[in-house]
Amino acid sequence: MSIHERASDGRQLLLYGVLVALIGFYLLPIEIGLMTSLKMNPLSTAPFLPPGLDGFTLEKWRQAFSQLANGLFNSLVLAIPATILSALLGSTAAYGLTTLNWRGQMPILVLFIAGIFIPYQAVLIPLSKFWAVYLPLDELLQTVWGLPMLEPYHGDLLALIISHVAYGIPITTLLFRTYYRNFSVEMIEAARLDGATPIRIYWRIILPLSVPMFAVTLIYQFTQVWNDLLFALVVVGPGEGAPVTVPLSQLGASLSEIGFGVRMAGAFIAALPTIVVYIMFGEQFAKGVAT
Amino acid sequence: MSTLKLDHVTKAFDDGSEDIIAVDDLSMTIDDGEFLVLVGPSGCGKSTTLRMLAGLETITAGEIHLGDRVINDVKPKDRDVAMVFQSYALYPHMTVRENMNFGLEESTTLSDEEIRPLVTETAEMLGIDELLDRTPDELSGGQQQRVALGRAIVRDPEVFLMDEPLSNLDAKLRSDMRTELQQLQGELGTTTVYVTHDQTEAMTMGDRIAILNDGVLQQVATPLEAYHRPANRFVAGFIGDPSMNFFEMTVQDDRLVTEQFTYPLTRKLRDAVDDVSQVTFGVRPESIELTQATAAIDHESVEFIAEVSDEHSFETIVDVVEPMGNENTIHLSFSGADDATFVATIDGERELTPGQTVVAHIPESEIHLFDGETGLAVHNRLRDESEATESTM
């Protein structure tokens, strides 16, 4: 073995050492959370140590799940349509503002982009007033809520869906626009000469080529909507219609004890869907980010 | 039928403060079934012209007729033209078959069963029937280019528009495709407008070529006509490789004079330059005859002096020799004037070395004379077959 090889072996060892340390650093909080959620008494041993045989319980997970189940369901009802809608609308808007050419598209694009910079907090009061006073969907659509499976609180969820879609459109438009700018102009012109209308071009050419960017926006928007607490509190509030983040914030709160275990279990349960979504679209996501 | 006619077509791009004229008052007629090549340096307006024909650019002034309809305001998809792009512009997510189907599906009411044999037939004609199930990223450049052609051909349009379709291919493939494309167009008999900046493509492919410069049409003529009887100095310099040699000269009595040499004119030629005082003297490299004056002693020899004493022969020095195989390109300069260089081509068998002194003979029958101010041709070289015909402008 030459000196050079030995030196590079040493460097390799150092590199892996640092990487393992970093993995430990990032995973430690998760590990502590997991261990805490499995202990009968979280404070009995050091937080990162696994529970002893007699101290092990799944009771905290059961508790958390039963308290969050309704919220999880609401969150799915909220996040899935909101994500798909904002990605679709962002894609069509970007197509209209990037690939097609028409007079006055620049000012409109600027309005879209400006939407990205409006903080959630700035619109809380107007937003709640809008849905509560000007457009109370639970009252306006009273006949609809009479249908089986539907409840008036679905009106609040619908309002929340629309709010998230509206709030998501600027960023999804920008993401798709960046992507569409790299499309060959000649390809679109070829399609025009082939006789395709703008809508057909979108449907047959742009949309199939957008799959990687859809993965990016779906993951991004799903996480965004799923994790949101602010809009959920203001538009829906605690109650039957609340998305999971609302009951999660109240989980384990009692005067007698700080419910570490149940809180940790709840956090894992609430985070699970976003991880599943990431795994589902991960490969396409990487492609979309790379371009 | 499908005669394509441009009638005083102008295109101006709005550049905020002022308009940029890309195409200026262009008029020409492309006959049914003709292969017309639009050629010119980059930025001359040839692509803009093609895009106006396709309907991808609006027309600022003038009219474009296809057959008996004016197509100025007809949408691209309703013009019945097909275009082949430089980048091929294939749809990357579709197979070759789907790429070729697309135009028929979007522009006709043909059913899938009717489209299928049409696409297969076209693919067989182009030799890409084996590739129908592949996607563009699995094809070589040449194959992609064939698919792009097939996509245009399968639609059976009135007019093919081709925007530098061969320029992304390597040299060998390009010259093969040149021949094949010409044959194909001959068989199909579809009116074709072909844009290129490559004068070799223009010379070899076109029934006629239209030379553009700065948005202005310079000449429409058959390739040989443009070569032998260029309408002006620009055409003379653009067509032909290596390009024509030019010297700016003054008319003095019955001679043309420049710092490096004096060229006497016979009566007939003298009459042609009667109205001008400044001329551009042009001669093609292959028209220059080189006589060797090899050894130093030859300098003093009687024979050598006899040759130079011919009033259309000049003593020159070889600067650079570029062997091409079949011929040699020789860069020459006049003795005592390094800055005045010109190019001659000689047989590939003949060997010349840099620094050598040679005698260049420029026959009077081979020279072109252009007006020094307007650049218009006042005299073109004499050729038996074309002597009588006037160059069309």
Side-chain angles (χ1 to χ4, degrees):
Chain A
M1 193 189 272
S2 73
I3 299 174
H4 279 292
E5 279 173 40
R6 220 171 297 150
S8 81
D9 272 0
R11 224 170 292 155
Q12 205 86 334
L13 215 64
L14 187 70
L15 177 69
Y16 281 109
V18 170
L19 286 178
V20 168
L22 280 175
I23 290 171
F25 180 75
Y26 281 111
L27 288 185
L28 190 63
I30 295 173
E31 196 261 354
I32 291 177
L34 189 63
M35 291 313 146
T36 308
S37 72
L38 296 173
K39 286 177 194 170
M40 278 205 270
N41 180 6
L43 303 176
S44 58
T45 50
F48 55 87
L49 290 177
L53 277 179
D54 49 345
F56 175 82
T57 176
L58 287 175
E59 172 60 19
K60 306 285 162 79
W61 280 74
R62 200 198 54 76
Q63 242 175 39
F65 185 77
S66 74
Q67 288 185 47
L68 293 180
N70 187 46
L72 280 170
F73 182 73
N74 287 338
S75 273
L76 285 177
V77 170
L78 158 75
I80 292 173
T83 304
I84 294 173
L85 267 178
S86 61
L88 263 180
L89 289 173
S91 159
T92 44
Y95 170 65
L97 289 169
T98 311
T99 320
L100 302 181
N101 277 318
W102 43 282
R103 234 174 249 278
Q105 62 190 152
M106 260 341 259
I108 293 182
L109 179 69
V110 169
L111 279 180
F112 269 82
I113 304 300
I116 298 173
F117 301 104
I118 302 174
Y120 273 31
Q121 291 80 351
V123 296
L124 284 183
I125 291 170
L127 190 71
S128 66
K129 191 138 190 170
F130 177 78
W131 290 121
V133 180
Y134 298 106
L135 208 63
L137 289 178
D138 45 351
E139 289 168 31
L140 291 174
L141 301 176
Q142 215 133 41
T143 46
V144 178
W145 311 133
L147 295 173
M149 307 281 291
L150 290 180
E151 301 287 338
Y153 69 77
H154 285 127
D156 289 337
L157 271 179
L158 184 61
L160 193 55
I161 290 173
I162 295 172
S163 307
H164 275 300
V165 168
Y167 230 87
I169 285 174
I171 184 72
T172 53
T173 303
L174 185 71
L175 284 169
F176 277 110
R177 177 178 159 79
T178 319
Y179 194 62
Y180 291 163
R181 279 168 72 114
N182 294 326
F183 281 13
S184 147
V185 178
E186 289 191 342
M187 180 181 72
I188 307 298
E189 289 176 342
R192 280 174 67 192
L193 282 165
D194 267 346
T197 58
I199 290 173
R200 297 286 298 166
I201 293 176
Y202 178 75
W203 183 247
R204 294 200 60 186
I205 301 201
I206 303 290
L207 197 58
L209 290 174
S210 302
V211 171
M213 199 32 83
F214 266 102
V216 174
T217 46
L218 287 181
I219 289 178
Y220 179 81
Q221 274 303 104
F222 187 86
T223 314
Q224 198 79 354
V225 175
W226 185 273
N227 289 344
D228 166 70
L229 174 63
L230 211 49
F231 276 11
L233 272 177
V234 170
V235 178
V236 181
E240 270 187 300
V244 71
T245 44
V246 178
L248 178 65
S249 67
Q250 298 159 342
L251 199 64
S254 85
L255 291 172
S256 56
E257 61 156 356
I258 308 167
F260 284 122
V262 74
R263 282 183 189 204
M264 290 303 161
F268 276 108
I269 291 169
L272 223 50
T274 52
I275 296 170
V276 170
V277 166
Y278 188 88
I279 293 168
M280 268 164 53
F281 297 107
E283 198 181 323
Q284 292 291 340
F285 178 81
K287 255 190 235 171
V289 171
T291 45
Chain B
M1 246 202 30
S2 44
T3 302
L4 193 56
K5 189 170 163 220
L6 288 89
D7 193 6
H8 299 283
V9 171
T10 296
K11 173 72 191 180
F13 287 105
D14 188 14
D15 186 33
S17 53
E18 57 178 326
D19 285 353
I20 293 169
I21 308 287
V23 176
D24 195 1
D25 199 23
L26 177 63
S27 293
M28 63 178 167
T29 304
I30 300 140
D31 296 327
D32 184 25
E34 188 179 3
F35 196 117
L36 182 107
V37 177
L38 264 179
V39 68
S42 40
C44 73
K46 54 189 192 300
S47 283
T48 308
T49 307
L50 199 74
R51 292 171 60 81
M52 283 193 286
L53 292 175
L56 297 172
E57 296 284 356
T58 56
I59 298 157
T60 311
E63 281 183 345
I64 296 177
H65 305 257
L66 177 58
D68 44 16
R69 41 176 198 152
V70 176
I71 56 168
N72 280 32
D73 296 319
V74 178
K75 283 185 179 161
K77 66 190 182 79
D78 301 325
R79 290 192 180 198
D80 202 10
V81 300
M83 190 156 166
V84 179
F85 293 88
Q86 182 177 352
S87 66
Y88 316 140
L90 300 177
Y91 312 125
H93 58 298
M94 298 185 191
T95 63
V96 170
R97 180 180 287 283
E98 285 165 342
N99 263 282
M100 289 171 74
N101 285 348
F102 188 84
L104 290 173
E105 286 168 358
E106 294 296 330
S107 65
T108 67
T109 53
L110 294 177
S111 68
D112 289 355
E113 293 77 49
E114 290 167 303
I115 289 174
R116 208 175 161 82
L118 284 176
V119 169
T120 311
E121 195 184 313
T122 310
E124 278 167 5
M125 184 166 78
L126 288 160
I128 50 171
D129 45 324
E130 305 272 293
L131 311 173
L132 281 172
D133 295 323
R134 298 207 198 157
T135 50
D137 59 350
E138 298 168 323
L139 304 180
S140 70
Q143 289 169 333
Q144 290 187 26
Q145 150 70 194
R146 277 166 198 272
V147 176
L149 276 175
R151 198 169 60 175
I153 291 170
V154 77
R155 288 185 49 209
D156 189 24
E158 295 263 346
V159 181
F160 286 136
L161 303 172
M162 306 200 180
D163 192 2
E164 312 218 6
L166 303 184
S167 52
N168 284 359
L169 301 178
D170 60 61
K172 172 79 176 72
L173 201 54
R174 194 183 314 157
S175 78
D176 289 350
M177 280 304 288
R178 220 155 58 196
T179 323
E180 201 175 321
L181 203 58
Q182 240 176 317
Q183 281 172 348
L184 215 54
Q185 195 270 342
E187 284 166 31
L188 297 167
T190 309
T191 312
T192 302
V193 182
Y194 184 106
V195 160
T196 181
H197 64 269
D198 179 353
Q199 59 94 22
T200 320
E201 270 175 33
M203 288 292 287
T204 52
M205 299 182 80
D207 292 329
R208 284 192 301 159
I209 57 182
I211 300 111
L212 263 92
N213 186 31
D214 278 344
V216 179
L217 183 64
Q218 307 290 313
Q219 187 172 11
V220 187
T222 65
L224 286 183
E225 211 172 308
Y227 186 80
H228 292 297
R229 304 189 65 79
N232 57 36
R233 194 198 141 138
F234 178 81
V235 174
F238 191 78
I239 302 292
D241 179 39
S243 51
M244 190 185 275
N245 297 296
F246 293 110
F247 302 98
E248 305 302 328
M249 301 184 92
T250 315
V251 183
Q252 278 178 10
D253 302 326
D254 57 352
R255 286 171 305 162
L256 299 177
V257 181
T258 182
E259 266 182 50
Q260 294 82 32
F261 69 108
T262 301
Y263 196 91
L265 295 175
T266 54
R267 183 62 186 272
K268 196 177 159 215
L269 270 184
R270 179 66 189 87
D271 290 345
V273 293
D274 233 8
D275 306 332
V276 288
S277 55
Q278 293 289 329
V279 294
T280 303
F281 176 98
V283 61
R284 295 233 175 251
E286 74 271 18
S287 301
I288 300 173
E289 295 158 14
L290 297 185
T291 328
Q292 226 148 318
T294 39
I297 7 161
D298 271 356
H299 255 286
E300 319 300 329
S301 80
V302 180
E303 186 196 20
F304 176 72
I305 289 167
E307 275 181 298
V308 171
S309 73
D310 173 357
E311 56 192 356
H312 291 151
S313 293
F314 308 95
E315 193 185 306
T316 57
I317 297 161
V318 177
D319 286 339
V320 179
V321 179
E322 294 172 346
M324 311 289 282
N326 60 336
E327 59 180 32
N328 287 327
T329 306
I330 315 290
H331 295 256
L332 301 154
S333 58
F334 286 101
S335 311
D338 289 342
D339 53 331
T341 61
F342 61 106
V343 174
T345 52
I346 58 164
D347 194 84
E349 303 277 317
R350 284 182 64 190
E351 283 180 19
L352 292 178
T353 46
Q356 198 176 357
T357 304
V358 291
V359 174
H361 175 64
I362 304 174
E364 197 176 16
S365 61
E366 297 288 331
I367 67 168
H368 299 259
L369 296 174
F370 306 95
D371 188 314
E373 274 160 29
T374 63
L376 291 177
V378 292
H379 168 78
N380 277 321
R381 78 200 272 189
L382 306 170
R383 285 183 79 240
D384 296 338
E385 59 266 55
S386 59
E387 228 166 309
T389 52
E390 278 301 304
S391 76
T392 49
M393 170 61 199

